[in-house]
Amino acid sequence: MASAKWMEQTNNWICRRLRMEDKERENQGKPPFVSPDIVETHDFVFSPYQPHERNGDSGSLLMAKRKTSHSERYVIKHSYAGSAANEYVYTKLAHAMGLKMPDAVLFKWSDDEKRRYWKTEYILGTRYLENAIVPTRDQIRTLAKNPDDLFRFYAMEQICHETDGIEYLLAEDGFLYRIDTSASFILSDGYFFGAGINEIEPGTESTGLTSKERVMQCVAHLNYEAVLNVDAFQSDLDFYKKRFGQECVAPYLDTYRRLTEVSGADIDDFLNTLCYIYPDFIGDYFKAYIVTAKKQAAKFLRAVG
């Protein structure tokens, strides 16, 4: 992984160029790719965005509006190299499980792009929810069309190893939506920062490995089952049973059932999209995580009967 000191001292613009060049080389052997989940920066106008409920964990945010239709708006995260990957994968996995999250897109830096809004080239957009509110528990019970999804969101927090708490909004359409899931999965931002840099980080010359090779080596030795632990799943459920009573149990367990039913084709589809923006081995990391999560979810369901 890239050290915090190196990340602070190294010119981020140089690192971004190195990562983009590496990704361009990887993509040369791939067929032309078109996906509604990848959009071009030159098709949008950007401006600063400061939501009143934001707690600052994702760095500076932007609002993107499509030039041809200002009603198509996205909240933009770009400050940290891992934010886009984590939240995009979380969103697509949640959608495959029938859970509500705002649509997520990845922005491709257009060839003619001259603006300098973004701290990294890893740019995530999540669809802006008009007139959404942060609901109380009573509002969820009385107004939301999917009140039980609150407990599914709690289960997803455990499944995706989220470390920053749960945020959700009640939207105009009456549905409860999960938002802001960047702090998820296993890899920290430093790993994503160095994952596409094919140069040796200063101070690590003795390893003979580039930053990318070091990250690949770390990923190859990750213990997914240590994070996706059946005992931890049970402990989490017990916590929410004490907090909410029996009403949480069925939807909480249903989340694990839904996870086991997500198809390999759906997983491959959104990870292939991710790998047109991120290094290919990052897609392999997420695939290993989700496959292990499915296996451990099935084991958990058998244990609870």
Side-chain angles (χ1 to χ4, degrees), residues 62-83:
L62 299 169
M63 177 69 77
K65 299 179 183 179
R66 187 177 286 276
K67 292 177 180 178
T68 57
S69 175
H70 281 194
S71 63
E72 184 180 346
R73 297 196 285 173
Y74 297 93
V75 178
I76 302 300
K77 295 182 180 180
H78 61 99
S79 294
Y80 303 111
S83 292

PDB file of all heavy atoms in Angstrom, residues 62-83:
ATOM      1  N   LEU A  62     -18.964  17.593  -4.781  1.00  0.00           N
ATOM      2  CA  LEU A  62     -19.409  18.437  -5.884  1.00  0.00           C
ATOM      3  C   LEU A  62     -20.826  18.025  -6.280  1.00  0.00           C
ATOM      4  O   LEU A  62     -21.278  16.924  -5.962  1.00  0.00           O
ATOM      5  CB  LEU A  62     -18.481  18.285  -7.097  1.00  0.00           C
ATOM      6  CG  LEU A  62     -17.009  18.665  -6.927  1.00  0.00           C
ATOM      7  CD1 LEU A  62     -16.204  18.204  -8.130  1.00  0.00           C
ATOM      8  CD2 LEU A  62     -16.866  20.164  -6.726  1.00  0.00           C
ATOM      9  N   MET A  63     -21.504  18.929  -6.967  1.00  0.00           N
ATOM     10  CA  MET A  63     -22.760  18.600  -7.624  1.00  0.00           C
ATOM     11  C   MET A  63     -22.516  18.624  -9.128  1.00  0.00           C
ATOM     12  O   MET A  63     -21.922  19.573  -9.650  1.00  0.00           O
ATOM     13  CB  MET A  63     -23.852  19.605  -7.261  1.00  0.00           C
ATOM     14  CG  MET A  63     -25.185  19.363  -7.977  1.00  0.00           C
ATOM     15  SD  MET A  63     -26.034  17.871  -7.421  1.00  0.00           S
ATOM     16  CE  MET A  63     -26.693  18.451  -5.859  1.00  0.00           C
ATOM     17  N   ALA A  64     -22.929  17.568  -9.819  1.00  0.00           N
ATOM     18  CA  ALA A  64     -22.801  17.498 -11.275  1.00  0.00           C
ATOM     19  C   ALA A  64     -24.190  17.574 -11.897  1.00  0.00           C
ATOM     20  O   ALA A  64     -25.118  16.893 -11.445  1.00  0.00           O
ATOM     21  CB  ALA A  64     -22.115  16.208 -11.692  1.00  0.00           C
ATOM     22  N   LYS A  65     -24.318  18.394 -12.918  1.00  0.00           N
ATOM     23  CA  LYS A  65     -25.568  18.496 -13.672  1.00  0.00           C
ATOM     24  C   LYS A  65     -25.262  18.226 -15.145  1.00  0.00           C
ATOM     25  O   LYS A  65     -24.310  18.789 -15.703  1.00  0.00           O
ATOM     26  CB  LYS A  65     -26.176  19.892 -13.537  1.00  0.00           C
ATOM     27  CG  LYS A  65     -26.530  20.298 -12.119  1.00  0.00           C
ATOM     28  CD  LYS A  65     -27.108  21.711 -12.090  1.00  0.00           C
ATOM     29  CE  LYS A  65     -27.404  22.149 -10.666  1.00  0.00           C
ATOM     30  NZ  LYS A  65     -27.950  23.527 -10.628  1.00  0.00           N
ATOM     31  N   ARG A  66     -26.053  17.349 -15.753  1.00  0.00           N
ATOM     32  CA  ARG A  66     -25.840  17.075 -17.174  1.00  0.00           C
ATOM     33  C   ARG A  66     -26.152  18.329 -17.982  1.00  0.00           C
ATOM     34  O   ARG A  66     -27.162  19.003 -17.745  1.00  0.00           O
ATOM     35  CB  ARG A  66     -26.711  15.916 -17.640  1.00  0.00           C
ATOM     36  CG  ARG A  66     -26.395  15.471 -19.069  1.00  0.00           C
ATOM     37  CD  ARG A  66     -27.203  14.266 -19.496  1.00  0.00           C
ATOM     38  NE  ARG A  66     -26.749  13.040 -18.869  1.00  0.00           N
ATOM     39  CZ  ARG A  66     -25.739  12.289 -19.331  1.00  0.00           C
ATOM     40  NH1 ARG A  66     -25.051  12.686 -20.412  1.00  0.00           N
ATOM     41  NH2 ARG A  66     -25.398  11.178 -18.721  1.00  0.00           N
ATOM     42  N   LYS A  67     -25.296  18.673 -18.935  1.00  0.00           N
ATOM     43  CA  LYS A  67     -25.444  19.904 -19.697  1.00  0.00           C
ATOM     44  C   LYS A  67     -26.753  19.959 -20.464  1.00  0.00           C
ATOM     45  O   LYS A  67     -27.358  21.023 -20.623  1.00  0.00           O
ATOM     46  CB  LYS A  67     -24.265  20.065 -20.668  1.00  0.00           C
ATOM     47  CG  LYS A  67     -22.926  20.315 -19.986  1.00  0.00           C
ATOM     48  CD  LYS A  67     -21.797  20.398 -20.994  1.00  0.00           C
ATOM     49  CE  LYS A  67     -20.459  20.641 -20.309  1.00  0.00           C
ATOM     50  NZ  LYS A  67     -19.331  20.675 -21.281  1.00  0.00           N
ATOM     51  N   THR A  68     -27.192  18.808 -20.951  1.00  0.00           N
ATOM     52  CA  THR A  68     -28.412  18.773 -21.761  1.00  0.00           C
ATOM     53  C   THR A  68     -29.677  18.573 -20.942  1.00  0.00           C
ATOM     54  O   THR A  68     -30.777  18.638 -21.486  1.00  0.00           O
ATOM     55  CB  THR A  68     -28.321  17.643 -22.808  1.00  0.00           C
ATOM     56  OG1 THR A  68     -28.094  16.397 -22.135  1.00  0.00           O
ATOM     57  CG2 THR A  68     -27.186  17.913 -23.789  1.00  0.00           C
ATOM     58  N   SER A  69     -29.527  18.315 -19.633  1.00  0.00           N
ATOM     59  CA  SER A  69     -30.700  18.096 -18.788  1.00  0.00           C
ATOM     60  C   SER A  69     -30.311  18.313 -17.337  1.00  0.00           C
ATOM     61  O   SER A  69     -29.823  17.407 -16.666  1.00  0.00           O
ATOM     62  CB  SER A  69     -31.244  16.666 -18.966  1.00  0.00           C
ATOM     63  OG  SER A  69     -32.298  16.409 -18.073  1.00  0.00           O
ATOM     64  N   HIS A  70     -30.537  19.532 -16.831  1.00  0.00           N
ATOM     65  CA  HIS A  70     -30.110  19.865 -15.484  1.00  0.00           C
ATOM     66  C   HIS A  70     -30.894  19.117 -14.415  1.00  0.00           C
ATOM     67  O   HIS A  70     -30.537  19.150 -13.235  1.00  0.00           O
ATOM     68  CB  HIS A  70     -30.209  21.378 -15.256  1.00  0.00           C
ATOM     69  CG  HIS A  70     -29.065  22.135 -15.848  1.00  0.00           C
ATOM     70  ND1 HIS A  70     -28.788  23.443 -15.545  1.00  0.00           N
ATOM     71  CD2 HIS A  70     -28.104  21.750 -16.728  1.00  0.00           C
ATOM     72  CE1 HIS A  70     -27.720  23.844 -16.212  1.00  0.00           C
ATOM     73  NE2 HIS A  70     -27.290  22.827 -16.946  1.00  0.00           N
ATOM     74  N   SER A  71     -31.955  18.431 -14.811  1.00  0.00           N
ATOM     75  CA  SER A  71     -32.683  17.619 -13.834  1.00  0.00           C
ATOM     76  C   SER A  71     -31.916  16.337 -13.488  1.00  0.00           C
ATOM     77  O   SER A  71     -32.206  15.701 -12.473  1.00  0.00           O
ATOM     78  CB  SER A  71     -34.073  17.257 -14.367  1.00  0.00           C
ATOM     79  OG  SER A  71     -33.972  16.459 -15.536  1.00  0.00           O
ATOM     80  N   GLU A  72     -30.950  15.965 -14.317  1.00  0.00           N
ATOM     81  CA  GLU A  72     -30.104  14.809 -14.027  1.00  0.00           C
ATOM     82  C   GLU A  72     -28.901  15.299 -13.225  1.00  0.00           C
ATOM     83  O   GLU A  72     -27.948  15.869 -13.762  1.00  0.00           O
ATOM     84  CB  GLU A  72     -29.646  14.115 -15.310  1.00  0.00           C
ATOM     85  CG  GLU A  72     -28.849  12.844 -15.050  1.00  0.00           C
ATOM     86  CD  GLU A  72     -28.394  12.140 -16.315  1.00  0.00           C
ATOM     87  OE1 GLU A  72     -28.914  12.479 -17.408  1.00  0.00           O
ATOM     88  OE2 GLU A  72     -27.520  11.259 -16.220  1.00  0.00           O
ATOM     89  N   ARG A  73     -28.951  15.062 -11.923  1.00  0.00           N
ATOM     90  CA  ARG A  73     -27.932  15.592 -11.028  1.00  0.00           C
ATOM     91  C   ARG A  73     -27.335  14.475 -10.177  1.00  0.00           C
ATOM     92  O   ARG A  73     -28.026  13.544  -9.774  1.00  0.00           O
ATOM     93  CB  ARG A  73     -28.520  16.676 -10.121  1.00  0.00           C
ATOM     94  CG  ARG A  73     -29.027  17.899 -10.876  1.00  0.00           C
ATOM     95  CD  ARG A  73     -29.222  19.067  -9.942  1.00  0.00           C
ATOM     96  NE  ARG A  73     -30.413  18.918  -9.108  1.00  0.00           N
ATOM     97  CZ  ARG A  73     -30.739  19.746  -8.106  1.00  0.00           C
ATOM     98  NH1 ARG A  73     -29.917  20.743  -7.790  1.00  0.00           N
ATOM     99  NH2 ARG A  73     -31.844  19.570  -7.428  1.00  0.00           N
ATOM    100  N   TYR A  74     -26.039  14.624  -9.892  1.00  0.00           N
ATOM    101  CA  TYR A  74     -25.324  13.632  -9.104  1.00  0.00           C
ATOM    102  C   TYR A  74     -24.497  14.329  -8.023  1.00  0.00           C
ATOM    103  O   TYR A  74     -23.889  15.378  -8.271  1.00  0.00           O
ATOM    104  CB  TYR A  74     -24.378  12.803  -9.975  1.00  0.00           C
ATOM    105  CG  TYR A  74     -25.075  11.987 -11.029  1.00  0.00           C
ATOM    106  CD1 TYR A  74     -25.265  12.479 -12.314  1.00  0.00           C
ATOM    107  CD2 TYR A  74     -25.551  10.699 -10.735  1.00  0.00           C
ATOM    108  CE1 TYR A  74     -25.913  11.722 -13.286  1.00  0.00           C
ATOM    109  CE2 TYR A  74     -26.196   9.945 -11.695  1.00  0.00           C
ATOM    110  CZ  TYR A  74     -26.373  10.466 -12.963  1.00  0.00           C
ATOM    111  OH  TYR A  74     -27.015   9.721 -13.918  1.00  0.00           O
ATOM    112  N   VAL A  75     -24.464  13.706  -6.842  1.00  0.00           N
ATOM    113  CA  VAL A  75     -23.521  14.112  -5.803  1.00  0.00           C
ATOM    114  C   VAL A  75     -22.198  13.415  -6.094  1.00  0.00           C
ATOM    115  O   VAL A  75     -22.151  12.194  -6.274  1.00  0.00           O
ATOM    116  CB  VAL A  75     -24.037  13.728  -4.403  1.00  0.00           C
ATOM    117  CG1 VAL A  75     -23.012  14.104  -3.334  1.00  0.00           C
ATOM    118  CG2 VAL A  75     -25.380  14.404  -4.125  1.00  0.00           C
ATOM    119  N   ILE A  76     -21.118  14.199  -6.148  1.00  0.00           N
ATOM    120  CA  ILE A  76     -19.823  13.698  -6.623  1.00  0.00           C
ATOM    121  C   ILE A  76     -18.843  13.538  -5.471  1.00  0.00           C
ATOM    122  O   ILE A  76     -18.613  14.469  -4.690  1.00  0.00           O
ATOM    123  CB  ILE A  76     -19.224  14.667  -7.667  1.00  0.00           C
ATOM    124  CG1 ILE A  76     -20.187  14.848  -8.843  1.00  0.00           C
ATOM    125  CG2 ILE A  76     -17.867  14.162  -8.144  1.00  0.00           C
ATOM    126  CD1 ILE A  76     -20.518  13.593  -9.583  1.00  0.00           C
ATOM    127  N   LYS A  77     -18.241  12.335  -5.379  1.00  0.00           N
ATOM    128  CA  LYS A  77     -17.123  12.076  -4.485  1.00  0.00           C
ATOM    129  C   LYS A  77     -15.871  11.849  -5.333  1.00  0.00           C
ATOM    130  O   LYS A  77     -15.924  11.117  -6.325  1.00  0.00           O
ATOM    131  CB  LYS A  77     -17.399  10.855  -3.610  1.00  0.00           C
ATOM    132  CG  LYS A  77     -18.558  11.042  -2.646  1.00  0.00           C
ATOM    133  CD  LYS A  77     -18.773   9.833  -1.769  1.00  0.00           C
ATOM    134  CE  LYS A  77     -19.935  10.054  -0.819  1.00  0.00           C
ATOM    135  NZ  LYS A  77     -20.174   8.882   0.062  1.00  0.00           N
ATOM    136  N   HIS A  78     -14.769  12.469  -4.917  1.00  0.00           N
ATOM    137  CA  HIS A  78     -13.557  12.414  -5.745  1.00  0.00           C
ATOM    138  C   HIS A  78     -12.283  12.580  -4.935  1.00  0.00           C
ATOM    139  O   HIS A  78     -11.179  12.483  -5.476  1.00  0.00           O
ATOM    140  CB  HIS A  78     -13.597  13.540  -6.788  1.00  0.00           C
ATOM    141  CG  HIS A  78     -13.645  14.915  -6.166  1.00  0.00           C
ATOM    142  ND1 HIS A  78     -12.528  15.691  -6.032  1.00  0.00           N
ATOM    143  CD2 HIS A  78     -14.668  15.607  -5.594  1.00  0.00           C
ATOM    144  CE1 HIS A  78     -12.860  16.833  -5.422  1.00  0.00           C
ATOM    145  NE2 HIS A  78     -14.144  16.797  -5.140  1.00  0.00           N
ATOM    146  N   SER A  79     -12.409  12.834  -3.631  1.00  0.00           N
ATOM    147  CA  SER A  79     -11.238  13.206  -2.833  1.00  0.00           C
ATOM    148  C   SER A  79     -10.329  12.033  -2.497  1.00  0.00           C
ATOM    149  O   SER A  79      -9.125  12.213  -2.322  1.00  0.00           O
ATOM    150  CB  SER A  79     -11.691  13.881  -1.534  1.00  0.00           C
ATOM    151  OG  SER A  79     -12.333  15.116  -1.804  1.00  0.00           O
ATOM    152  N   TYR A  80     -10.895  10.834  -2.380  1.00  0.00           N
ATOM    153  CA  TYR A  80     -10.135   9.660  -1.960  1.00  0.00           C
ATOM    154  C   TYR A  80     -10.211   8.572  -3.020  1.00  0.00           C
ATOM    155  O   TYR A  80     -11.271   8.333  -3.611  1.00  0.00           O
ATOM    156  CB  TYR A  80     -10.650   9.136  -0.620  1.00  0.00           C
ATOM    157  CG  TYR A  80     -10.607  10.175   0.468  1.00  0.00           C
ATOM    158  CD1 TYR A  80     -11.781  10.709   0.991  1.00  0.00           C
ATOM    159  CD2 TYR A  80      -9.390  10.645   0.959  1.00  0.00           C
ATOM    160  CE1 TYR A  80     -11.743  11.676   1.976  1.00  0.00           C
ATOM    161  CE2 TYR A  80      -9.344  11.615   1.951  1.00  0.00           C
ATOM    162  CZ  TYR A  80     -10.532  12.127   2.450  1.00  0.00           C
ATOM    163  OH  TYR A  80     -10.486  13.093   3.431  1.00  0.00           O
ATOM    164  N   ALA A  81      -9.099   7.883  -3.220  1.00  0.00           N
ATOM    165  CA  ALA A  81      -9.001   6.931  -4.326  1.00  0.00           C
ATOM    166  C   ALA A  81      -9.945   5.741  -4.170  1.00  0.00           C
ATOM    167  O   ALA A  81     -10.345   5.130  -5.170  1.00  0.00           O
ATOM    168  CB  ALA A  81      -7.557   6.436  -4.463  1.00  0.00           C
ATOM    169  N   GLY A  82     -10.303   5.394  -2.944  1.00  0.00           N
ATOM    170  CA  GLY A  82     -11.151   4.219  -2.749  1.00  0.00           C
ATOM    171  C   GLY A  82     -12.637   4.492  -2.695  1.00  0.00           C
ATOM    172  O   GLY A  82     -13.440   3.556  -2.768  1.00  0.00           O
ATOM    173  N   SER A  83     -13.033   5.757  -2.575  1.00  0.00           N
ATOM    174  CA  SER A  83     -14.457   6.064  -2.381  1.00  0.00           C
ATOM    175  C   SER A  83     -15.322   5.571  -3.522  1.00  0.00           C
ATOM    176  O   SER A  83     -16.385   4.969  -3.305  1.00  0.00           O
ATOM    177  CB  SER A  83     -14.649   7.570  -2.198  1.00  0.00           C
ATOM    178  OG  SER A  83     -14.090   8.022  -0.990  1.00  0.00           O
TER     179      SER A  83
END
